[in-house]
Amino acid sequence: MVTDVDSIFSTLYGEISGIRAKDFVSEISRYHRIQASPGYRKAAEFILDTLKKHGIDTKILSFESNGRKKYLEFLSPMGWEATHAILEMVEPRREKLVDYTEHPISLVAFSGGTPKGGVTAEVTYVGPGIEDRNYDGIDVKGKFVLAYGEPRRVFKKAVIERGAIGLIFFRRGVAEQDAIPYRSLWPSADEIYKLVPAFSVSKRTAERIISLIERGERVKVRAEVNVKFFESSLDIITAVLPGEVEEEVVLIAHLCHPKPSANDNASGSGLLLEIACTLKRLMDAGLLKLKRAVRFFWVPEYTGTAALLSEGIKNIGKIRAVINLDMVGEDQSQCGSVLSIVSSPMSVPSFLTFLIESLVERSAKEKLKQFGAVDSLYSFRFKRTPFVWGSDHEVFSCSDFKIPSVALICWPDRYYHSSFDTADKVDPQILKHIGAAVATATIICASSSQEIGLWVLPRVMRGIMSVLGSIEEKALAIKDPKTYRLMYESLDVYEKWALGTLHSILTMFDGEVLKKCVMESETEIKNAISKIRRRFLIVAEGRGWPITDVELTEEEREALEHVYIKKFRGPLPLRYLREHPKDGRALWYLRKIESDDPIISQISEMLNLMDGTKSLYDIYVTLIAEYGKSNLRELIEICNDLEELGLIEKVGKK
């Protein structure tokens, strides 16, 4: 039996197969895996059958999904199945534009259907189609609307408010002109009767149509769509490798998305399957033994995890750590991506972030031939990032559950959410590297051994001290006294986070020697923070900047007086923001989301910190520590919106 970390990693690196994992990815990518659809269920059954063949205890958990039921604040989707859909141009010439049988992704998920025989209508182009001004002077009633804006917003503006009878979407700014983008309408049960046929086309196809319209040609299309809506279920595959105690380490991947969606997220699902089968094989061979159980989940993204945590898991407290695999198979040279190790949020400090980073670093060096034994070379790109929203780790780590959760996500991806996200863009060697790192981290977290804890400690301290060491570098680059003062105030946040991260080791590993070493490391952290504080003051004095006794701005005084508490469970679904009752605010959020503005992740962490004891100013300082910068005026406006929506409540002044 292997018990030391070096042996565990070497064994797992030798046993994890990137080729087998890619075979799993290729198989999963053959299914049209829309949430609550028959295609998703078929993919789930493939995973279930594979796990059972390997002798792993597994089952499918099913939760009601009907467009009305909510899990936490996430609306469950209607069941939806398409059997036929074609869009063809009939004027000024006849041309097939897209066919569902060739590219299922070309039919917008949860599209409405057509009468038998289809519908024929003129096409109008409205640009983004998300604002009233996009429709100035354009009559879209009884027509198909071509747009590149957010689908639900276009549906509201074009269909509900103006009577369009069909929608055609494309995406601007894509690298591949012929890639068909993934789009979805996500209707509630009350909205399905208002739906119209909705298609997705490549940028090249859209530009061809736009060119004809701009030349004064009358463009007409014929659409024929056969779909049905029904009450369905959110299906979650769960498998477990038993341990000696009730506690669990969780590995999770979302299984959903349209065919092919190989990297997003057949890659995470396929690698998770390879990790589960490999660990079981090693356990059967007597090479591994688990103190804590290892639990695997394959879920519909967000909604499935919300269902698990609200209704599916009786004792959430038994989950000690979560690793989320989302887009982990990227061929970096083709996709232009970097492996992001998404940190557990500062509101849930955990050693898990630095453990994963250390193991990814080791895996990136494995068997790499280096000229002159240069130690800093890596076989793939990776980077630790602050906590961000966007996948299932957000649900576990929110303030209602506070489960340390780390995500591995390759980003950016030039083929993201498109028909070009195919298995040939998946690199088996990357799958092997990430699989070995994640599997090793899992075995470490499933242990309570003092020896393993002593292996973890210096790697976590290295991570903590690297963060603290970067503070002075950032401070010296600051050009104004206000920002410098805020950075100085954030030192309290850094200290609390660093000590919380350090002490989280003792929540997983036992032993008096380890405790003494952690206490020594605590002194080291406190001394480092004290040294940084002194240097801040020396530099401030030299620059003539007030730092400890300074007049706050009007916004800062306002934020200091506002203390909020969150009034709902789970993270905030972005639908609440995109569909804000005030049209201008809805557009503001939509633009922030589409531009991947950091403020969106900061909203999630801001809500995590709203416990009724911290002022908005305190939260603002925390966000500066976590993300490097924040925008207080925007935070105040966001709080006003959330309060108006009844999602947070002001509980007084600090």
Side-chain angles (χ1 to χ4, degrees):
M1 180 180 296
V2 289
T3 55
D4 65 284
V5 175
D6 289 337
S7 299
I8 291 169
F9 178 86
S10 296
T11 299
L12 288 168
Y13 191 88
E15 290 292 326
I16 294 280
S17 169
I19 294 173
R20 277 196 306 265
K22 184 171 178 177
D23 285 344
F24 290 144
V25 173
S26 298
E27 179 62 31
I28 293 166
S29 71
R30 294 188 177 101
Y31 299 101
H32 193 46
R33 311 181 306 277
I34 303 299
Q35 292 196 7
S37 75
Y40 177 96
R41 180 75 186 202
K42 289 176 182 177
E45 288 171 349
F46 161 71
I47 290 172
L48 186 78
D49 290 344
T50 304
L51 291 166
K52 286 183 174 179
K53 285 176 185 176
H54 284 78
I56 298 173
D57 181 17
T58 185
K59 61 183 175 181
I60 291 182
L61 306 175
S62 294
F63 298 87
E64 183 181 9
S65 191
N66 55 20
R68 289 192 175 88
K69 172 85 171 178
K70 280 186 177 181
Y71 298 99
L72 303 178
E73 288 296 317
F74 292 91
L75 182 68
S76 65
M78 288 290 297
W80 178 79
E81 182 179 17
T83 53
H84 171 76
I86 191 166
L87 179 70
E88 57 184 355
M89 186 192 301
V90 294
E91 289 185 21
R93 59 177 179 266
R94 185 167 291 277
E95 175 188 345
K96 183 173 73 172
L97 299 177
V98 287
D99 185 337
Y100 177 80
T101 60
E102 295 176 352
H103 296 290
I105 202 171
S106 66
L107 183 65
V108 171
F110 302 98
S111 164
T114 63
K116 190 175 182 180
V119 295
T120 302
E122 184 180 352
V123 178
T124 57
Y125 175 55
V126 295
I130 60 175
E131 298 183 68
D132 292 333
R133 64 179 180 173
N134 299 144
Y135 298 86
D136 287 348
I138 304 175
D139 180 15
V140 302
K141 188 173 183 179
K143 299 177 182 178
F144 270 76
V145 161
L146 175 64
Y148 57 81
E150 195 274 325
R152 281 190 57 81
R153 179 80 180 179
V154 176
F155 169 67
K156 175 187 175 186
K157 291 295 177 184
V159 177
I160 302 300
E161 296 180 6
R162 291 172 173 84
I165 64 167
L167 299 169
I168 305 171
F169 295 101
F170 71 103
R171 184 178 291 146
R172 297 195 309 167
V174 292
E176 295 294 337
Q177 303 290 301
D178 294 312
I180 300 169
Y182 167 35
R183 306 301 246 172
S184 179
L185 290 171
W186 297 113
S188 68
D190 295 332
E191 291 174 321
I192 62 172
Y193 305 105
K194 304 172 186 177
L195 294 172
V196 297
F199 289 88
S200 184
V201 300
S202 70
K203 183 182 179 184
R204 194 185 305 278
T205 297
E207 288 181 340
R208 196 160 63 246
I209 295 171
I210 294 167
S211 178
L212 290 169
I213 293 172
E214 290 177 344
R215 291 206 310 259
E217 300 263 19
R218 177 183 169 92
V219 178
K220 292 183 73 174
V221 296
R222 175 183 171 275
E224 189 173 331
V225 180
N226 185 10
V227 297
K228 63 179 179 179
F229 288 87
F230 48 91
E231 294 198 355
S232 185
S233 61
L234 291 169
D235 295 329
I236 295 167
I237 310 100
T238 180
V240 65
L241 299 176
E244 299 174 5
V245 297
E246 287 289 311
E247 296 176 351
E248 294 182 349
V249 178
V250 165
L251 273 65
I252 190 167
H254 72 82
L255 178 61
C256 56
H257 284 3
K259 180 182 179 179
S261 294
N263 271 313
D264 187 16
N265 186 38
S267 67
S269 296
L271 182 56
L272 198 59
L273 191 52
E274 169 64 12
I275 291 171
C277 295
T278 299
L279 294 184
K280 179 64 164 67
R281 188 168 62 251
L282 292 173
M283 290 176 69
D284 289 346
L287 294 174
L288 288 178
K289 188 176 181 181
L290 303 176
K291 179 75 171 181
R292 298 182 178 93
V294 177
R295 173 79 61 178
F296 303 87
F297 288 118
W298 290 261
V299 298
E301 192 172 19
Y302 273 107
T303 51
T305 302
L308 267 178
L309 291 176
S310 59
E311 295 188 10
I313 301 174
K314 292 180 181 178
N315 181 12
I316 293 172
K318 69 183 179 183
I319 301 175
R320 305 305 307 279
V322 174
I323 303 173
N324 177 25
L325 302 183
D326 189 345
M327 299 177 65
V328 292
E330 312 272 329
D331 181 324
Q332 293 189 340
S333 62
Q334 289 193 72
C335 300
S337 58
V338 177
L339 174 64
S340 295
I341 303 161
V342 179
S343 302
S344 185
M346 272 194 166
S347 58
V348 189
S350 173
F351 73 88
L352 186 60
T353 301
F354 297 120
L355 171 62
I356 295 284
E357 182 181 29
S358 174
L359 291 167
V360 166
E361 180 181 27
R362 171 161 183 176
S363 192
K365 291 180 177 180
E366 190 71 15
K367 302 192 187 311
L368 183 66
K369 293 181 179 179
Q370 301 172 352
F371 180 74
V374 178
D375 219 21
S376 60
L377 294 178
Y378 301 110
S379 58
F380 60 92
R381 297 185 295 270
F382 63 93
K383 184 180 180 181
R384 169 171 37 89
T385 73
F387 166 76
V388 293
W389 72 284
S391 192
D392 298 281
H393 60 284
E394 184 186 8
V395 188
F396 285 97
S397 61
C398 79
S399 58
D400 300 279
F401 308 114
K402 291 187 176 180
I403 302 171
S405 305
V406 170
L408 289 97
I409 303 175
C410 291
W411 192 255
D413 178 359
R414 59 173 56 101
Y415 307 111
Y416 174 70
H417 278 196
S418 82
S419 58
F420 279 30
D421 180 9
T422 48
D424 60 297
K425 315 296 191 314
V426 175
D427 181 355
Q429 195 60 38
I430 286 287
L431 290 171
K432 181 180 181 69
H433 282 308
I434 297 174
V438 168
T440 304
T442 302
I443 298 304
I444 287 172
C445 291
S447 168
S448 62
S449 155
Q450 175 169 267
E451 289 306 310
I452 288 182
L454 289 169
W455 184 93
V456 170
L457 176 59
R459 288 153 180 85
V460 173
M461 279 299 292
R462 183 180 70 176
I464 291 171
M465 298 308 287
S466 72
V467 172
L468 298 182
S470 70
I471 298 173
E472 286 186 81
E473 182 180 340
K474 293 175 185 175
L476 291 173
I478 293 172
K479 303 299 183 185
D480 67 281
K482 176 189 169 184
T483 306
Y484 192 83
R485 170 178 57 81
L486 288 167
M487 193 73 176
Y488 177 76
E489 290 183 20
S490 73
L491 293 178
D492 288 340
V493 175
Y494 279 116
E495 181 172 14
K496 182 178 179 181
W497 162 81
L499 293 175
T501 300
L502 173 66
H503 283 281
S504 70
I505 296 172
L506 297 178
T507 67
M508 297 289 275
F509 307 102
D510 302 324
E512 289 303 315
V513 173
L514 178 62
K515 288 178 184 177
K516 290 177 181 178
C517 289
V518 166
M519 292 305 108
E520 277 206 359
S521 297
E522 177 180 315
T523 301
E524 186 180 345
I525 289 171
K526 288 179 177 178
N527 288 340
I529 290 286
S530 296
K531 184 178 179 181
I532 293 169
R533 281 198 180 95
R534 289 195 301 271
R535 287 184 175 172
F536 256 82
L537 294 173
I538 291 169
V539 172
E541 183 179 1
R543 291 174 174 175
W545 289 351
I547 192 169
T548 56
D549 184 19
V550 67
E551 183 71 21
L552 298 180
T553 67
E554 183 179 343
E555 286 178 350
E556 290 170 340
R557 287 195 299 272
E558 180 182 351
L560 196 58
E561 292 182 349
H562 292 172
V563 178
Y564 295 97
I565 191 164
K566 191 176 81 161
K567 294 183 67 179
F568 63 95
R569 295 184 75 225
L572 178 69
L574 295 187
R575 185 169 180 164
Y576 283 113
L577 305 178
R578 283 195 298 252
E579 300 177 19
H580 192 283
K582 291 180 180 176
D583 208 48
R585 293 303 292 166
L587 283 169
W588 186 83
Y589 286 113
L590 188 59
R591 292 188 179 109
K592 291 288 185 182
I593 293 166
E594 290 187 340
S595 65
D596 205 19
D597 193 300
I599 196 70
I600 301 302
S601 290
Q602 292 184 25
I603 292 173
S604 182
E605 182 69 326
M606 177 179 72
L607 288 165
N608 286 342
L609 295 164
M610 285 183 173
D611 59 3
T613 67
K614 302 176 186 69
S615 72
L616 182 57
Y617 182 83
D618 297 330
I619 293 172
Y620 170 56
V621 172
T622 300
L623 296 177
I624 289 172
E626 189 160 3
Y627 296 96
K629 62 180 180 179
S630 188
N631 186 312
L632 184 55
R633 172 43 53 191
E634 288 185 347
L635 294 178
I636 291 171
E637 291 171 353
I638 291 165
C639 286
N640 290 339
D641 290 335
L642 296 175
E643 188 175 16
E644 186 177 333
L645 292 170
L647 296 169
I648 63 175
E649 181 182 357
K650 200 178 295 177
V651 293
K653 298 180 180 181
K654 187 172 178 181

